[in-house]
């Protein structure tokens, strides 16, 4: 029996390709820029066959200059195009930081709303894939501290496509983080055609009344595994997939935390300066008197992401997350 909306089973990276294809087909203004994205289809094949379909004028292989092609994307965005820029790895974005913080994030304010920068910057990020140093950074908090740019991070194929389309249609710049660890490690149903996932809205994955677990990106599967073990021990967890890191869904966080009174925040970025600190501040601002225990953080350590042999010791695991759950339960 044919449903009203056809769906297909895709990996996360295939859902990204599908989202790009959907929007390029709908809007001639959507232009892709990045290193090796055309003929080679990108280092992770996220843009595979798109240059063949849409031509070299819309899928543009750029020189190895992040500052250059991000700057070019800003110029394109203020002149009516919808550029989607691929940074090969989030750790390569630093040469373009000045363009993003000085121009992309400020042009709306600087021109009193006369110009906006409808630009998407795609960036694979995170550890767990045995990549060399600089390739595995999780520096999302650097950009959530930058008013004027939105930051999103999908954890599944459905959200990957919906968030990408929403980002392309957003009038302001969006940093779209792609957890490399999940690119091909899971599949999910993705509707054909166009749909969006609202930026700024989190997603409740599990319902429970004992502990709130907050995570995003590649930490979602690890957090769900910990929640399942906790359930076998009689501890029922609310699991929140933040998905939008800025703006952040303060209402869902407050609602859950006020119900459970106990919270564990999970992210693979370093503990110091990590987004978990801002989440704790939100909880203090909205739900301090509901707390039954201090908020626990399960994070990466305050060291550079280590080489291959030590990578697993750096990343949060279900065991470390479960320890955090039991710690707040015993307080």
């Amino acid at each position: 029996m044919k449903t009203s909306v056809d769906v297909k089973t895709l990996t996360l990276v295939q859902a990204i390709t599908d989202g790009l294809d959907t929007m390029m087909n709908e809007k001639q203004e959507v232009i892709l820029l990045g290193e090796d994205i055309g003929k080679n289809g990108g280092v992770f094949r996220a843009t595979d066959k798109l240059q063949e379909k849409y031509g070299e004028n819309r899928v543009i292989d750029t020189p190895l200059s992040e500052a250059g092609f991000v700057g070019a994307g800003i110029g394109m965005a203020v002149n009516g195009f919808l550029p989607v820029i691929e940074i090969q790895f989030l750790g390569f974005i630093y040469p373009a930081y000045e363009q993003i913080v000085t121009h992309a994030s400020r042009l709306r304010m600087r021109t009193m709303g006369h110009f906006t920068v409808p630009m998407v910057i795609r960036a694979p990020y995170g550890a767990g894939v045995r990549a060399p140093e600089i390739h595995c950074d999780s520096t999302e908090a650097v950009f959530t501290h930058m008013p004027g740019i939105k930051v999103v991070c999908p954890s599944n194929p459905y959200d990957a496509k919906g968030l990408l389309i929403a980002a392309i249609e957003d009038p302001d710049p969006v940093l779209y983080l792609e957890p490399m660890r999940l690119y091909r490690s899971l599949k999910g149903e993705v509707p054909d055609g166009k749909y969006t996932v609202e930026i700024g809205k989190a997603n409740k994955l599990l319902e429970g009344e004992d502990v709130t677990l907050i995570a995003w990106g590649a930490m979602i599967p690890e957090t769900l595994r910990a929640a399942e073990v906790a359930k076998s021990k009689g501890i029922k967890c609310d699991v929140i997939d933040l998905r939008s890191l800025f703006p952040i869904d303060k209402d869902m966080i407050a609602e859950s935390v006020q119900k459970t009174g106990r919270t564990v925040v999970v992210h693979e970025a370093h503990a110091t300066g990590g987004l978990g600190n801002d989440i704790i501040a939100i909880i203090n601002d909205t739900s301090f008197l509901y707390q039954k225990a201090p908020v626990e953080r399960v994070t990466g350590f305050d060291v550079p992401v280590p080489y291959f042999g030590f990578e697993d010791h750096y990343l949060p695991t279900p065991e470390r997350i479960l320890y955090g759950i039991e710690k707040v339960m015993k307080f």
Side-chain angles (χ1 to χ4, degrees):
M1 179 177 179
K2 188 177 179 67
T3 58
S4 58
V5 177
D6 290 333
V7 298
K8 46 196 170 186
T9 301
L10 301 176
T11 63
L12 192 144
V13 72
Q14 287 172 335
I16 290 169
T17 307
D18 193 29
L20 293 171
D21 189 22
T22 297
M23 293 308 292
M24 293 189 77
N25 185 61
E26 178 182 297
K27 296 179 183 290
Q28 291 292 317
E29 298 87 352
V30 177
I31 307 290
L32 310 187
L33 301 92
E35 300 160 355
D36 299 322
I37 68 166
K39 188 171 293 185
N40 290 338
V43 66
F44 293 105
R45 302 298 181 264
T47 53
D48 192 31
K49 294 184 173 58
L50 293 182
Q51 188 180 75
E52 181 181 328
K53 183 174 181 179
Y54 294 102
E56 295 182 2
N57 290 330
R58 295 190 63 198
V59 183
I60 302 170
D61 281 314
T62 66
L64 304 182
S65 174
E66 284 77 14
F69 60 75
V70 170
I74 295 169
M76 295 171 73
V78 299
N79 283 283
F81 291 97
L82 298 172
V84 181
I85 295 169
E86 178 181 299
I87 307 291
Q88 280 194 345
F89 296 87
L90 180 60
F92 297 175
I93 203 171
Y94 309 129
Y97 182 81
E98 190 275 335
Q99 290 286 347
I100 298 168
V101 69
T102 304
H103 302 296
S105 66
R106 294 174 185 263
L107 269 170
R108 176 190 282 275
M109 180 274 294
R110 184 179 297 152
T111 64
M112 300 179 69
H114 290 288
F115 291 97
T116 62
V117 184
M119 177 177 73
V120 179
I121 302 174
R122 296 178 40 245
Y125 88 103
V129 296
R130 303 297 188 261
E133 67 165 333
I134 308 299
H135 295 65
C136 299
D137 288 359
S138 296
T139 50
E140 59 267 32
V142 171
F143 298 92
T144 60
H145 189 65
M146 190 184 295
I149 184 170
K150 299 177 175 72
V151 182
V152 299
C153 180
S155 68
N156 59 78
Y158 180 90
D159 286 354
K161 181 178 177 181
L163 277 173
L164 180 57
I165 292 174
I168 292 172
E169 293 195 320
D170 197 284
D172 293 304
V174 179
L175 176 62
Y176 180 92
L177 298 174
E178 302 172 7
M180 292 185 286
R181 195 174 176 185
L182 302 185
Y183 265 152
R184 294 176 174 85
S185 65
L186 52 82
K187 291 185 176 183
E189 289 190 344
V190 177
D192 276 332
K194 183 179 177 181
Y195 68 92
T196 60
V197 171
E198 184 178 354
I199 295 174
K201 294 296 183 182
N203 187 25
K204 180 78 70 67
L205 301 178
L206 283 180
E207 194 77 41
E209 63 274 357
D210 296 320
V211 181
T212 297
L213 307 181
I214 302 172
W216 54 91
M219 291 297 99
I220 289 297
E222 306 301 290
T223 301
L224 288 171
R225 291 186 186 103
E228 284 300 310
V229 178
K231 184 178 179 181
S232 71
K233 296 174 178 285
I235 304 170
K236 298 178 180 178
C237 300
D238 253 14
V239 177
I240 295 175
D241 181 355
L242 214 51
R243 349 191 244 202
S244 180
L245 309 185
F246 189 86
I248 199 167
D249 193 342
K250 297 180 182 180
D251 292 338
M252 183 177 286
I253 292 172
E255 180 184 3
S256 177
V257 169
Q258 289 174 19
K259 176 180 66 175
T260 66
R262 298 180 175 89
T263 308
V264 179
V265 182
V266 184
H267 61 70
E268 63 178 280
H270 313 307
T272 300
L275 187 60
N277 301 348
D278 293 295
I279 294 170
I280 293 172
I282 291 169
I283 293 169
N284 284 339
D285 289 344
T286 63
S287 313
F288 180 78
L289 296 179
Y290 293 85
Q291 293 303 288
K292 301 172 185 175
V295 178
E296 182 71 12
R297 291 176 299 160
V298 181
T299 71
F301 300 104
D302 287 341
V303 298
V305 179
Y307 291 114
F308 312 153
F310 299 98
E311 197 174 33
D312 291 340
H313 299 288
Y314 171 85
L315 287 166
T317 61
E319 293 75 21
R320 285 179 59 196
I321 299 167
L322 182 63
Y323 178 81
I325 294 170
E326 292 176 334
K327 185 176 178 179
V328 297
M329 286 299 296
K330 293 174 181 176
F331 182 81

